[in-house]
Structure formats: C-alpha cells, structure tokens
Amino acid sequence: MSAKKNIAIIMGGYSSEYEISLKSGNVVYELLDANKYNSYRIHIFKNKWVYVDAKDKEFAIDKNDFSVTINNEKITFDCVFNAIHGAPGEDGYMQAYFNLLKIPQTSCGMYQASVTFNKRDCLSILRPYGIKTAESFYINLGDTIDEDAIIEKVALPCFVKANKAGSSFGITKVYKKEDLQNAIDVAFKEDDEIIIESFLDGTEVSVGVITYKGETKVLPITEIVPNNDFFDYKAKYLGESQEITPARLTKEQEEKVNVLAKKVYEILKMKGFSRSEYIFKDGEPHLLEVNTIPGLTKQSILPQQAAVAGITLPELFDNAIVEALK
C-alpha cells in the first residue's frame, strides 16, 4: 500500500472574502479521505502563514520551500488544495509561487487565475470568440469621471463593480445619475479599477465546470433568484436568495448555456473548479464573470450542483487532488 499523501489546504487570504475561504477550507479538511491523505490546514494571511493543528496551535510556514516543522520534524507537501477566494489564491499569486516550487495545486494556472480575476480583461479575451456580454465602461482610479458618457454607453439602471474583487464586494446597482458617483466611490474602496455594466433583465444562472476524471464536465445549472435587488454578498452567503438546481430553463436555453460554459472553460485552458455566471437576454446567455475558486461549503453553489450530478463532496475533493497530481 502506497504512503498517504500530505495535502496542504490553503485558506484565508488577503481580501474581504477570507471568512468564507476559512469555511470552505475547513469543509475540505473535514471531508478529505483520511485513509488516503494527511490533511493540513494552512492559514494564509498578510501578517502570517501558519499551519493550524487540531488544537488550533499555530506553526510557522517556511516560505522558502512551503514546509512546516513540527516537533523537529520537517513536513513537505505532495499537493496543495487551494481554497482561497480572492487574493492571493484566486488572482494568480499562489499559483505562480507553487509553480516555482514545483508543488502541484488544485486550481487553474497562474495566467488563467490572473485573467479571470480581472473581469474586464477576461471579457475582452472572450468577446472575439462570440461570447455575449453586457455593455461596459471602464474607469481607473484617478480618471476623470464623465457621468454622461457612462450613461450614454451603458444606460440606466447599471451595475458599478470593483473590477478585481469577488463575492459581490464593491458592487452597487444604480438607477439615477445622482447616485453614480457614490457607487463609484464604493467600488474604489475595493479596487483601483472599476467596471460599469448595463443591466441585463433576465434569468440569472450559475454554471459549474470542472475537470472530472480527465474530462471537462459541465455540472447541473443553478438558477439564481435573489430576494434582494441583485445577487449581492447577502444573497450569496447569508441565504437571501433562492438557488434552484437544476435551473428552470427550456431545453434550448440549457443546451446553449452548457455549450457556452464548456467553451469558456476550454478557450481559457482552465483546469480545476470554475463557476461562471450568465444572464439570459433575448433568449441568449450573456457572460457576467468566471470564478476559479468557488465556495466549497455544503451550502455553496458548486457543491449543490455536484450533488445533483451524483458527486459527493469527498469525491469532488478527491478528484481535484487526483487531477492535480497527474
């Protein structure tokens, strides 16, 4: 029998999403097969990188080789399970670090993480492939704000979003011109780049695409019905939305978004988990964004989709490690 693999489950991060990441990481820690893996919870924060044992005692990580020494024994890792939402786990930094150290990890590559984390760059790459998106207007911190030009391009209502932030932080739906500047200020608190998009009025769906047993697999689609005005942080994480899996779509709609989600995954040369969001306008799915480290709690959308597909969370997490180690 082969020796058990040492798996570092990285969680936390530097962004507003760290609390959700800790929840995701702990679910992975609880459910990874203990007969196959030695699991280690690794907290990644700006001020410390530490291994946290079962009694919540902390041991510093040696960043030179991503190892930890416990009772004079140096432990290295066969694979990293990436559960960091936002920076530095979803934007390419951790991927680049592990690539340099030649340690396999479960998420997509550095380039894919960096591109998908930047909404406007991601959409710009995909549009030439015929991927439909909302009308958009970009602003960098320090740019002159021309409210009339923005409204002429995207119309009202519109969404003002931080360009490089997940989980609906820094996002506002704007109905009136006089509210635009405040929404821009809110977005700039999260990021130095913002994207302003036209409002697409239609059914919103979330589509999980993963590499499963060596193949690109599109999971059952989830329909998002926010109790609030849109799918914001409270709707995503505090239960203030209905998430219906499988989505209430026509066969034609389902086929269109399945083909599109698989196409996006393959154009970007993704691997690991992904979850892309679409809104149907005039019967056509329009891409909003691509997430590469989606939530992994039992209530999260991708695990819900996997369950409908007949994939348990232990199977889902085990597959991610098997694929990373190939």
Side-chain angles (χ1 to χ4, degrees):
M1 181 165 170
S2 59
K4 290 202 281 186
K5 303 279 190 192
N6 288 343
I7 308 298
I9 304 163
I10 59 171
M11 58 187 91
Y14 304 165
S15 76
S16 307
E17 300 177 76
Y18 78 92
E19 290 178 341
I20 305 301
S21 170
L22 291 174
K23 288 181 180 174
S24 289
N26 277 305
V27 171
V28 177
Y29 176 71
E30 289 161 17
L31 295 181
L32 268 186
D33 185 349
N35 294 315
K36 286 179 72 174
Y37 305 118
N38 298 313
S39 299
Y40 295 82
R41 293 181 299 171
I42 310 293
H43 288 189
I44 305 283
F45 293 113
K46 280 184 177 170
N47 62 336
K48 62 181 179 182
W49 289 22
V50 291
Y51 158 60
V52 181
D53 73 7
K55 295 178 180 175
D56 290 334
K57 186 178 177 185
E58 297 182 352
F59 300 82
I61 294 291
D62 184 344
K63 294 182 186 176
N64 292 298
D65 59 0
F66 197 69
S67 65
V68 62
T69 300
I70 305 166
N71 300 327
N72 296 320
E73 182 191 354
K74 179 173 173 170
I75 293 167
T76 57
F77 300 101
D78 299 295
C79 184
V80 172
F81 196 111
N82 186 354
I84 297 178
H85 312 310
E90 200 166 5
D91 56 5
Y93 282 90
M94 296 307 291
Q95 288 86 346
Y97 170 70
F98 291 123
N99 190 34
L100 288 171
L101 292 177
K102 296 186 166 46
I103 302 174
Q105 52 90 35
T106 56
S107 63
C108 62
M110 172 192 71
Y111 172 75
Q112 287 77 11
S114 177
V115 162
T116 52
F117 198 68
N118 188 310
K119 295 182 184 74
R120 68 191 194 189
D121 286 3
C122 185
L123 298 174
S124 298
I125 287 168
L126 292 168
R127 280 192 197 104
Y129 289 90
I131 310 292
K132 294 179 171 62
T133 66
E135 284 289 338
S136 53
F137 194 103
Y138 307 138
I139 307 175
N140 292 330
L141 188 62
D143 286 356
T144 301
I145 309 296
D146 185 336
E147 294 182 354
D148 291 327
I150 293 167
I151 292 166
E152 186 179 341
K153 179 86 184 288
V154 302
L156 290 171
C158 65
F159 283 103
V160 180
K161 304 176 179 180
N163 187 43
K164 303 187 298 290
S167 296
S168 304
F169 285 105
I171 180 169
T172 309
K173 189 174 182 181
V174 176
Y175 291 88
K176 301 185 297 225
K177 179 180 174 181
E178 53 264 37
D179 295 333
L180 191 57
Q181 183 62 55
N182 182 61
I184 289 168
D185 293 340
V186 167
F188 275 137
K189 285 177 184 166
E190 288 289 333
D191 190 18
D192 61 357
E193 301 171 353
I194 65 175
I195 179 171
I196 303 174
E197 292 181 325
S198 59
F199 168 58
L200 299 175
D201 191 9
T203 302
E204 182 169 352
V205 296
S206 183
V207 190
V209 184
I210 61 175
T211 304
Y212 191 71
K213 297 183 178 176
E215 302 287 331
T216 302
K217 182 175 180 65
V218 182
L219 296 172
I221 302 160
T222 298
E223 180 182 348
I224 309 294
V225 186
N227 299 345
N228 310 333
D229 201 15
F230 61 95
F231 194 44
D232 62 4
Y233 180 86
K234 288 180 180 177
K236 265 185 190 173
Y237 294 120
L238 302 181
E240 296 184 16
S241 69
Q242 295 176 61
E243 294 158 6
I244 302 163
T245 312
R248 299 168 298 182
L249 300 176
T250 65
K251 268 280 173 230
E252 184 187 12
Q253 285 178 316
E254 187 181 327
E255 177 67 17
K256 277 182 179 175
V257 79
N258 274 342
V259 168
L260 189 59
K262 187 169 190 273
K263 183 178 178 182
V264 165
Y265 191 91
E266 293 180 341
I267 288 168
L268 295 172
K269 298 182 179 173
M270 290 287 298
K271 67 183 186 71
F273 301 129
S274 81
R275 206 190 69 227
S276 45
E277 321 293 332
Y278 302 85
I279 287 181
F280 280 90
K281 183 186 177 205
D282 303 325
E284 296 295 327
H286 288 58
L287 175 67
L288 299 179
E289 63 178 16
V290 179
N291 302 287
T292 60
I293 313 281
L296 297 173
T297 68
K298 296 175 182 73
Q299 295 76 35
S300 299
I301 292 172
L302 191 127
Q304 288 180 39
Q305 296 174 343
V308 173
I311 303 168
T312 67
L313 283 184
E315 287 170 339
L316 188 71
F317 300 154
D318 179 71
N319 176 78
I321 292 168
V322 169
E323 290 293 332
L325 289 170
K326 282 183 176 176

